[in-house]
Amino acid sequence: MKKPELLSPAGDFERLRYALAYGADAVYLAGKDFGMRTASDNFGEEELQRAVEYAHARGKRVFVTVNTMPRNEEVERLPAFLQALERMGADAAILADLGALALCQKYAPHVAPHISTQANVTNYQAARAYHSLGARRIVLARELSLEEVAQIRDKTPPELELEVFVHGAMCMSYSGRCYLSAYLTGRDANRGNCAQPCRWKYSLVEQTRPGKVFPVYEGEEGAYVLNSKDLCMLENIPALIRAGVDSFKIEGRVKTAYYTAVTANAYRRAIDLYCQDPAGYQLPQWVADEVEKVSHREYSTGFFFGPGQQRVQDGGYLRTWDICAMAQGKDAPQGALLTQKNKFAPGDRLELIDPNGPPRAFTLEKLLDETGQPIDSAPHPHQTVIVPQLRQLDPMALLRRARPAGD
């Protein structure tokens, strides 16, 4: 059985490190231009070079998003960016524009062209056409059913790789090309600057009564008529593998390093366990629980098993756990050194997570400042603390805490 690739988002170098440490085979990221997520920090040219070298040293790959729909002025700057990707050894460029595809083949011949979900590939003929133009991979449109994905696999060359999103936020314009943000705010979603107006709460105004606003009620907070649920296919890993998907993609370049680590860890475990023993596979409960411990909207399976689902009651996130601290990868004489991310204190029930196994729960007995003096809590962002109960932590270990009820 061919094991699919696990592809994770990397909005900056920290998130890249956690994605790879927790099991991603590859990361996708953006330079300062031409990527669809300007809200993330993204990578300058020197940082891109560093990212490629870091990933390759660990046997991993780096895909660079070049998936905006460039205008004339932007497309004139694109050859220089593609030449930089060629020089630094990027593994692939994720492209949505036909002109960008042609330029990639000319100026970055050793960078594999991947066709973005922004290109709206919904059928095998389109996939074949892109393959004939040199594409090595298609990121399929998100509105496809699993049956349609399997049909595309059956009717396309086996060397053409197929990638699907398996986890993360869904856009109400599922394969992109949304103009709502540009119309309402002047921020063009097709050039990476979406204001997410589909998440807003809307009311009605009747034409003959200007200025009279009528709320739309689905629940007490009104109705969020365009707001999509998040995608989660963790429970359906076997079906995706049987459909012939080559790469499982997690959305979230704007999300935190904690989100990146936890989602990569969960999907890595599920993929490996199924490929090791398909007949006896059962998703461990602790793995299923992991995706509930990151900030997310209500989950759905998108279009894989039927129409997509909207969350009209509210536009908010479910946040039941917070990251507390990140390991520094070294010890003080009194215990493990960590960098605080959110407030925590002695007496708190915490979980330690790392790339090596299930989370381990414990009650924090004592907390020290970096000089070794006892403290009542860790209230200051990024302060160094010492946890005497812990030693020799994995350098990528994290501490988290369940939010008290009502928070």
Side-chain angles (χ1 to χ4, degrees), residues 297-347:
R297 298 179 184 89
E298 183 181 350
Y299 286 131
S300 77
T301 54
F303 285 87
F304 282 110
F305 302 107
Q309 300 180 53
Q310 303 297 104
R311 172 73 180 180
V312 297
Q313 293 90 340
D314 58 62
Y317 285 91
L318 302 172
R319 294 184 176 95
T320 57
W321 288 74
D322 287 320
I323 180 174
C324 298
M326 308 170 89
Q328 295 184 3
K330 54 188 177 181
D331 288 348
Q334 302 95 330
L337 288 164
L338 298 101
T339 300
Q340 184 264 13
K341 302 298 287 185
N342 280 294
K343 184 178 179 180
F344 65 110

Side-chain angles (χ1 to χ4, degrees), residues 4 6 142 144-147 149-150 164-170 229-243 245 247-251 259 263 266-271 274 281 283 287-288 291-292 296-309:
L6 178 59
R142 300 191 200 196
L144 292 173
S145 69
L146 189 61
E147 181 180 359
V149 171
V164 300
F165 280 90
V166 296
H167 194 92
M170 296 280 280
K229 294 181 180 180
D230 281 2
L231 174 66
C232 180
M233 287 291 285
L234 185 63
E235 302 274 357
N236 297 282
I237 293 298
L240 288 163
I241 294 176
R242 290 194 296 267
V245 175
S247 180
F248 293 175
K249 187 173 195 171
I250 297 171
E251 182 276 338
Y259 168 94
T263 54
Y267 281 87
R268 175 81 279 148
R269 302 286 176 175
I271 292 168
Y274 178 74
Y281 173 76
L283 184 68
V287 176
V291 292
E292 301 294 340
H296 65 279
R297 298 179 184 89
E298 183 181 350
Y299 286 131
S300 77
T301 54
F303 285 87
F304 282 110
F305 302 107
Q309 300 180 53

Side-chain angles (χ1 to χ4, degrees), residues 116-257:
S116 171
T117 191
Q118 296 295 117
N120 301 75
V121 176
T122 58
N123 64 77
Y124 63 86
Q125 287 287 14
R128 287 176 179 175
Y130 276 113
H131 183 244
S132 72
L133 294 173
R136 305 267 281 277
R137 177 182 293 189
I138 306 293
V139 187
L140 292 172
R142 300 191 200 196
E143 55 265 43
L144 292 173
S145 69
L146 189 61
E147 181 180 359
E148 290 173 311
V149 171
Q151 290 170 348
I152 292 172
R153 176 70 287 165
D154 289 341
K155 294 179 181 292
T156 51
E159 65 271 18
L160 177 64
E161 297 176 347
L162 300 182
E163 176 180 308
V164 300
F165 280 90
V166 296
H167 194 92
M170 296 280 280
C171 175
M172 69 93 182
S173 183
Y174 285 91
S175 292
R177 307 293 182 97
C178 177
Y179 290 93
L180 189 61
S181 177
Y183 179 77
L184 293 177
T185 71
R187 291 170 53 179
D188 190 347
N190 300 305
R191 294 154 86 190
N193 204 20
C194 185
Q196 294 196 336
C198 58
R199 308 295 183 188
W200 299 350
K201 177 182 174 182
Y202 288 91
S203 299
L204 294 176
V205 177
E206 202 275 319
Q207 185 175 1
T208 64
R209 287 178 278 183
K212 182 68 173 176
V213 176
F214 297 91
V216 181
Y217 287 109
E218 180 74 26
E220 291 184 1
E221 296 184 17
Y224 293 73
V225 292
L226 302 175
N227 183 45
S228 294
K229 294 181 180 180
D230 281 2
L231 174 66
C232 180
M233 287 291 285
L234 185 63
E235 302 274 357
N236 297 282
I237 293 298
L240 288 163
I241 294 176
R242 290 194 296 267
V245 175
D246 296 286
S247 180
F248 293 175
K249 187 173 195 171
I250 297 171
E251 182 276 338
R253 273 184 286 151
V254 184
K255 302 289 181 67
T256 64

Side-chain angles (χ1 to χ4, degrees), residues 79 82-83 86 100-109:
L82 293 168
Q83 287 173 325
E86 175 80 5
L101 172 60
L103 290 173
C104 182
Q105 292 172 301
K106 179 178 180 180
Y107 292 102

